[in-house]
Amino acid sequence: MDIKQLQYFMAAVECGSLNKAAERLYTSQPNVSRVIHSLEEELGNPIFLRSAKGIILSSFGEQLSYYAKNILKNVEHMQELSIDEKQKKLNIASYPSGMLSNNLAKFYNEHREENLHIDYKEGTTEQVLDYLSQGIVRIGVVEIAKQQFAPFRHILQNKHLEFTLFRSGKFCLYVGEQHPLYQAKSVPFDTLKDLEYVQENEDYFTSLFYMGKFSSGALDHKDLKHRVHTDSDHCMMHMLKETKLCSLGVDFFSTNMAREVGIHAVAIEGCSSGILLGVVTKQNQELEEIEKIYLENLRSLFAGEQ
């Protein structure tokens, strides 16, 4: 059995006719019939039932078509892998972040002449770690509450991953130009309960539940006036820019980038450092040159140099 036999077989299945299959394959109908007949002889069972009206799959042919379709799909993926190896690749997963996606666009423009291909995914911390352990991505960017670092480290060990710290940060308030606090440098902690929020859906490892543990005040995140919940950073950015809603986040947004997108980070008085930001990779993984360049770019971004 070879790939050609399966390709001819599936063409006949999808076209419902040997003549139409021949047209699709740029060959003759007798040749298609001959290839399929050789497959039937090899497998010892009829694949098609022939009649004056054309061909229909036998019960054996129906089962065979399921496996043939999967085999041809996997062959296609293997061929794509061969093409991909000629490209410089960045496979990244990250927590939802407008700053990271904005920076990635700039990074692409800087390296677009280098045959660069980027696959960028967003998700919760657990989803990012799953992507890494399954080999779907090679770089993960995560935020971790200090209170949750012990269980986070345990998961890393089980999945044979390692974490590199880039910086630690404090909770802050993000507001757009429509918000009355847009020009403010800081707000007292106890005013947070009076504001209205657009907020990302909870991530166990970076939940706002831990915010009260890093402040001089007492705050139950359930008491906050959440008007919009979303797992879309695109939605988050538009809600901040077009409404008077604000969002609780971490002060990783660079000043230059904040100015570009019209989002301002307002410090929360009495809030200490409580969130760790860094990169996760597989243990002992040898990074490609483009990956090393991207990680240095991230270091620069979170150091406020961009």
Side-chain angles (χ1 to χ4, degrees), residues 244-257:
K244 294 183 180 180
L245 296 177
C246 58
S247 175
L248 284 166
V250 187
D251 61 351
F252 294 142
F253 223 80
S254 72
T255 303
N256 290 342
M257 196 163 290

Side-chain angles (χ1 to χ4, degrees), residues 90-285:
L90 271 180
N91 295 331
I92 309 161
S94 167
Y95 65 93
S97 168
M99 181 173 73
L100 284 176
S101 54
N102 186 295
N103 179 67
L104 190 62
K106 293 181 178 180
F107 184 86
Y108 172 78
N109 280 334
E110 292 171 3
H111 298 273
R112 63 183 173 184
E113 303 298 331
E114 302 174 29
N115 197 22
L116 175 62
H117 175 81
I118 298 173
D119 187 347
Y120 180 76
K121 304 180 186 301
E122 290 185 340
T124 65
T125 301
E126 290 176 278
Q127 288 172 328
V128 170
L129 299 185
D130 284 342
Y131 287 140
L132 284 160
S133 65
Q134 294 168 20
I136 296 172
V137 303
R138 286 170 52 87
I139 296 173
V141 187
V142 295
E143 292 178 336
I144 305 296
K146 285 184 178 179
Q147 292 283 335
Q148 290 301 96
F149 193 73
F152 172 71
R153 183 169 51 195
H154 180 70
I155 293 175
L156 292 181
Q157 291 171 346
N158 287 339
K159 292 181 178 291
H160 306 291
L161 303 172
E162 57 188 15
F163 175 72
T164 302
L165 177 66
F166 275 11
R167 63 168 289 187
S168 60
K170 301 176 182 179
F171 285 104
C172 69
L173 199 65
Y174 283 117
V175 297
E177 294 178 351
Q178 305 293 326
H179 201 280
L181 293 174
Y182 186 72
Q183 300 296 334
K185 292 184 177 180
S186 66
V187 293
F189 188 89
D190 58 9
T191 63
L192 298 182
K193 63 182 181 299
D194 300 321
L195 303 174
E196 296 184 330
Y197 298 87
V198 51
Q199 208 62 48
E200 290 172 351
N201 294 324
E202 280 195 32
D203 183 334
Y204 172 75
F205 287 99
T206 58
S207 173
L208 293 173
F209 171 79
Y210 303 103
M211 183 177 177
K213 300 179 185 297
F214 305 110
S215 69
S216 58
L219 176 71
D220 188 333
H221 73 295
K222 294 179 181 178
D223 293 334
L224 298 178
K225 298 173 184 175
H226 292 127
R227 301 306 186 201
V228 179
H229 277 95
T230 180
D231 57 5
S232 165
D233 192 68
H234 188 69
C235 173
M236 170 78 73
M237 296 294 285
H238 276 279
M239 295 302 294
L240 290 175
K241 292 169 70 172
E242 306 296 336
T243 75
K244 294 183 180 180
L245 296 177
C246 58
S247 175
L248 284 166
V250 187
D251 61 351
F252 294 142
F253 223 80
S254 72
T255 303
N256 290 342
M257 196 163 290
R259 194 160 37 239
E260 287 179 21
V261 299
I263 303 296
H264 176 52
V266 182
I268 300 172
E269 296 168 11
C271 203
S272 60
S273 176
I275 294 290
L276 307 176
L277 181 138
V279 166
V280 180
T281 55
K282 283 190 174 180
Q283 292 177 0
N284 304 316
Q285 174 177 275

